[in-house]
Amino acid sequence: MAETVIRMENVTKVYKIGQSEVHALRGITFSVKQGEFVSIMGPSGSGKSTCMNMIGCLDRPSGGIVEINGTETAKMTEKELASLRNRTIGFVFQQYHLLPGMTVLENVMLPLRYQGIEKPERVRLAKEVLERVEMENRLSHRPSELSGGQKQRVAIARAMVTKPHIILADEPTGALDSKTGLQVLNLFREINSAGTTIVIVTHDGGIGASANRCIRIFDGNIQSDEEQIPVMPFYAMAEENA
Ligand SMILES: Nc1ncnc2c1ncn2[C@@H]1O[C@H](COP(=O)(O)OP(=O)(O)O)[C@@H](O)[C@H]1O
Ligand SMILES: [Mg+2]
């Protein structure tokens, strides 16, 4: 039996803006086991990003329990949380969040610096993952010199370089055309088959359907949580037939 890497129990999040309150999460409960490929789907404003921020310990819940690798995050110090974010979790965002003043290689080396790894080893590890995402021939480029799909591949390499147990991706294909989005999705599938747990937020039905499990969120509540047989998105079939 695979072990539980993410456990959310009755998690709530209330944002307070002046006098008004936004109930972004109204009591979310689910667990994710090592090696799963889960999609979180739901309309804009339903709480998907808030949910990801809770899993990734980028923000604290208003109530409930968030457990990562068996440890309750509320009981961890800021330093322990920073280490968890750096070593256990890799993040991928819609807008890539690459540092514009750094080269591709430097961007991917950066997370390793916080681990105190010596430079030659940082270079070696970064080149290794950049090869896996087929970006090894763009090492000295700046992010502004890359296409959207290339930027996202670099961002994925940066998320993978620390060999995290979990990759969290919030709308990773949201800024890409469907063909490039599919290439990014295939990359996630490849990373997942090597054992990394993946949680991906998307409102692309094709991408959601290609996950092994789909959690649907509506207005801060889980509407459904179902195992599914992954189907290939239609544009993948179109490409195969071409
Ligand atoms: N930092 C914030 N401060 C105040 N309200 C927020 C904040 N982040 C999100 N919200 C609100 O919480 C709700 C859920 O947002 P979000 O989790 O970003 O949804 P989604 O990612 O599904 O589009 C929305 O009503 C949004 O306006
Ligand atoms: Mg969002």
Side-chain angles (χ1 to χ4, degrees), residues 73-91:
T73 56
K75 294 189 176 140
M76 296 168 80
T77 63
E78 278 306 321
K79 205 173 159 197
E80 287 169 332
L81 281 177
S83 164
L84 180 79
R85 282 192 294 262
N86 183 242
R87 290 166 192 267
T88 309
I89 303 171
F91 295 94

mmCIF file of all heavy atoms in Angstrom, residues 73-91:
data_model
loop_
_atom_site.group_PDB
_atom_site.id
_atom_site.type_symbol
_atom_site.label_atom_id
_atom_site.label_comp_id
_atom_site.label_asym_id
_atom_site.label_seq_id
_atom_site.Cartn_x
_atom_site.Cartn_y
_atom_site.Cartn_z
ATOM 1 N N THR A 73 1.505 20.341 9.349
ATOM 2 C CA THR A 73 2.284 21.549 9.043
ATOM 3 C C THR A 73 2.085 22.651 10.090
ATOM 4 O O THR A 73 2.971 23.468 10.295
ATOM 5 C CB THR A 73 1.942 22.092 7.640
ATOM 6 O OG1 THR A 73 0.541 22.318 7.585
ATOM 7 C CG2 THR A 73 2.315 21.104 6.568
ATOM 8 N N ALA A 74 0.943 22.648 10.775
ATOM 9 C CA ALA A 74 0.687 23.677 11.802
ATOM 10 C C ALA A 74 1.685 23.562 12.955
ATOM 11 O O ALA A 74 1.945 24.530 13.666
ATOM 12 C CB ALA A 74 -0.731 23.547 12.327
ATOM 13 N N LYS A 75 2.260 22.363 13.114
ATOM 14 C CA LYS A 75 3.196 22.145 14.219
ATOM 15 C C LYS A 75 4.636 22.444 13.819
ATOM 16 O O LYS A 75 5.552 22.278 14.626
ATOM 17 C CB LYS A 75 3.086 20.701 14.716
ATOM 18 C CG LYS A 75 1.730 20.423 15.337
ATOM 19 C CD LYS A 75 1.665 19.072 16.020
ATOM 20 C CE LYS A 75 0.316 18.876 16.709
ATOM 21 N NZ LYS A 75 -0.187 17.510 16.558
ATOM 22 N N MET A 76 4.842 22.861 12.561
ATOM 23 C CA MET A 76 6.206 23.097 12.091
ATOM 24 C C MET A 76 6.575 24.567 12.230
ATOM 25 O O MET A 76 5.726 25.441 12.101
ATOM 26 C CB MET A 76 6.327 22.650 10.631
ATOM 27 C CG MET A 76 6.108 21.153 10.475
ATOM 28 S SD MET A 76 5.917 20.663 8.763
ATOM 29 C CE MET A 76 7.609 20.638 8.242
ATOM 30 N N THR A 77 7.858 24.823 12.458
ATOM 31 C CA THR A 77 8.345 26.211 12.522
ATOM 32 C C THR A 77 8.487 26.736 11.089
ATOM 33 O O THR A 77 8.467 25.959 10.134
ATOM 34 C CB THR A 77 9.730 26.270 13.190
ATOM 35 O OG1 THR A 77 10.645 25.523 12.370
ATOM 36 C CG2 THR A 77 9.704 25.670 14.592
ATOM 37 N N GLU A 78 8.660 28.061 10.963
ATOM 38 C CA GLU A 78 8.851 28.656 9.638
ATOM 39 C C GLU A 78 10.051 28.028 8.926
ATOM 40 O O GLU A 78 10.026 27.800 7.731
ATOM 41 C CB GLU A 78 9.051 30.180 9.754
ATOM 42 C CG GLU A 78 7.768 30.970 9.889
ATOM 43 C CD GLU A 78 6.738 30.694 8.781
ATOM 44 O OE1 GLU A 78 7.138 30.538 7.607
ATOM 45 O OE2 GLU A 78 5.534 30.614 9.095
ATOM 46 N N LYS A 79 11.095 27.747 9.682
ATOM 47 C CA LYS A 79 12.312 27.180 9.102
ATOM 48 C C LYS A 79 12.042 25.764 8.563
ATOM 49 O O LYS A 79 12.494 25.406 7.470
ATOM 50 C CB LYS A 79 13.408 27.152 10.171
ATOM 51 C CG LYS A 79 14.803 27.164 9.594
ATOM 52 C CD LYS A 79 15.847 27.310 10.682
ATOM 53 C CE LYS A 79 17.177 26.799 10.148
ATOM 54 N NZ LYS A 79 18.139 26.516 11.217
ATOM 55 N N GLU A 80 11.291 24.992 9.351
ATOM 56 C CA GLU A 80 10.951 23.630 8.911
ATOM 57 C C GLU A 80 10.055 23.672 7.676
ATOM 58 O O GLU A 80 10.207 22.864 6.758
ATOM 59 C CB GLU A 80 10.248 22.868 10.047
ATOM 60 C CG GLU A 80 11.190 22.458 11.160
ATOM 61 C CD GLU A 80 10.459 21.949 12.405
ATOM 62 O OE1 GLU A 80 9.303 22.363 12.660
ATOM 63 O OE2 GLU A 80 11.053 21.143 13.129
ATOM 64 N N LEU A 81 9.141 24.636 7.645
ATOM 65 C CA LEU A 81 8.256 24.785 6.480
ATOM 66 C C LEU A 81 9.049 25.164 5.236
ATOM 67 O O LEU A 81 8.801 24.641 4.148
ATOM 68 C CB LEU A 81 7.189 25.856 6.752
ATOM 69 C CG LEU A 81 6.005 25.442 7.615
ATOM 70 C CD1 LEU A 81 5.079 26.631 7.837
ATOM 71 C CD2 LEU A 81 5.230 24.292 6.997
ATOM 72 N N ALA A 82 10.013 26.067 5.402
ATOM 73 C CA ALA A 82 10.844 26.484 4.265
ATOM 74 C C ALA A 82 11.606 25.291 3.709
ATOM 75 O O ALA A 82 11.715 25.109 2.493
ATOM 76 C CB ALA A 82 11.799 27.591 4.690
ATOM 77 N N SER A 83 12.104 24.447 4.596
ATOM 78 C CA SER A 83 12.848 23.265 4.173
ATOM 79 C C SER A 83 11.918 22.278 3.456
ATOM 80 O O SER A 83 12.281 21.690 2.436
ATOM 81 C CB SER A 83 13.510 22.628 5.394
ATOM 82 O OG SER A 83 13.912 21.327 5.079
ATOM 83 N N LEU A 84 10.692 22.131 3.975
ATOM 84 C CA LEU A 84 9.698 21.255 3.346
ATOM 85 C C LEU A 84 9.380 21.741 1.932
ATOM 86 O O LEU A 84 9.359 20.959 0.975
ATOM 87 C CB LEU A 84 8.421 21.241 4.199
ATOM 88 C CG LEU A 84 7.281 20.365 3.691
ATOM 89 C CD1 LEU A 84 7.543 18.908 4.041
ATOM 90 C CD2 LEU A 84 5.951 20.807 4.282
ATOM 91 N N ARG A 85 9.179 23.072 1.796
ATOM 92 C CA ARG A 85 8.879 23.648 0.479
ATOM 93 C C ARG A 85 10.044 23.452 -0.483
ATOM 94 O O ARG A 85 9.867 23.225 -1.663
ATOM 95 C CB ARG A 85 8.590 25.154 0.612
ATOM 96 C CG ARG A 85 7.214 25.478 1.138
ATOM 97 C CD ARG A 85 6.904 26.954 0.965
ATOM 98 N NE ARG A 85 7.768 27.785 1.777
ATOM 99 C CZ ARG A 85 7.436 28.295 2.963
ATOM 100 N NH1 ARG A 85 6.245 28.064 3.468
ATOM 101 N NH2 ARG A 85 8.286 29.020 3.650
ATOM 102 N N ASN A 86 11.257 23.558 0.031
ATOM 103 C CA ASN A 86 12.437 23.447 -0.824
ATOM 104 C C ASN A 86 12.756 22.003 -1.209
ATOM 105 O O ASN A 86 13.159 21.729 -2.340
ATOM 106 C CB ASN A 86 13.637 24.096 -0.129
ATOM 107 C CG ASN A 86 14.881 24.077 -0.988
ATOM 108 O OD1 ASN A 86 15.881 23.469 -0.630
ATOM 109 N ND2 ASN A 86 14.832 24.705 -2.148
ATOM 110 N N ARG A 87 12.587 21.051 -0.276
ATOM 111 C CA ARG A 87 13.063 19.685 -0.516
ATOM 112 C C ARG A 87 11.986 18.699 -0.907
ATOM 113 O O ARG A 87 12.243 17.748 -1.636
ATOM 114 C CB ARG A 87 13.759 19.141 0.746
ATOM 115 C CG ARG A 87 15.076 19.820 1.005
ATOM 116 C CD ARG A 87 15.562 19.527 2.422
ATOM 117 N NE ARG A 87 16.665 20.400 2.763
ATOM 118 C CZ ARG A 87 17.944 20.080 2.601
ATOM 119 N NH1 ARG A 87 18.276 18.921 2.121
ATOM 120 N NH2 ARG A 87 18.890 20.951 2.918
ATOM 121 N N THR A 88 10.777 18.878 -0.405
ATOM 122 C CA THR A 88 9.746 17.858 -0.592
ATOM 123 C C THR A 88 8.799 18.193 -1.732
ATOM 124 O O THR A 88 8.222 17.315 -2.354
ATOM 125 C CB THR A 88 8.943 17.697 0.722
ATOM 126 O OG1 THR A 88 9.866 17.517 1.783
ATOM 127 C CG2 THR A 88 8.008 16.509 0.668
ATOM 128 N N ILE A 89 8.649 19.518 -1.990
ATOM 129 C CA ILE A 89 7.639 19.949 -2.945
ATOM 130 C C ILE A 89 8.283 20.759 -4.062
ATOM 131 O O ILE A 89 9.134 21.606 -3.819
ATOM 132 C CB ILE A 89 6.571 20.815 -2.228
ATOM 133 C CG1 ILE A 89 5.947 20.021 -1.070
ATOM 134 C CG2 ILE A 89 5.487 21.258 -3.203
ATOM 135 C CD1 ILE A 89 5.041 20.840 -0.173
ATOM 136 N N GLY A 90 7.862 20.489 -5.294
ATOM 137 C CA GLY A 90 8.270 21.317 -6.431
ATOM 138 C C GLY A 90 7.046 22.064 -6.938
ATOM 139 O O GLY A 90 5.959 21.499 -7.013
ATOM 140 N N PHE A 91 7.221 23.353 -7.246
ATOM 141 C CA PHE A 91 6.091 24.172 -7.692
ATOM 142 C C PHE A 91 6.217 24.558 -9.163
ATOM 143 O O PHE A 91 7.299 24.934 -9.618
ATOM 144 C CB PHE A 91 6.041 25.481 -6.885
ATOM 145 C CG PHE A 91 5.758 25.287 -5.425
ATOM 146 C CD1 PHE A 91 6.788 25.184 -4.505
ATOM 147 C CD2 PHE A 91 4.445 25.199 -4.970
ATOM 148 C CE1 PHE A 91 6.527 24.997 -3.156
ATOM 149 C CE2 PHE A 91 4.184 25.019 -3.623
ATOM 150 C CZ PHE A 91 5.218 24.922 -2.714
#
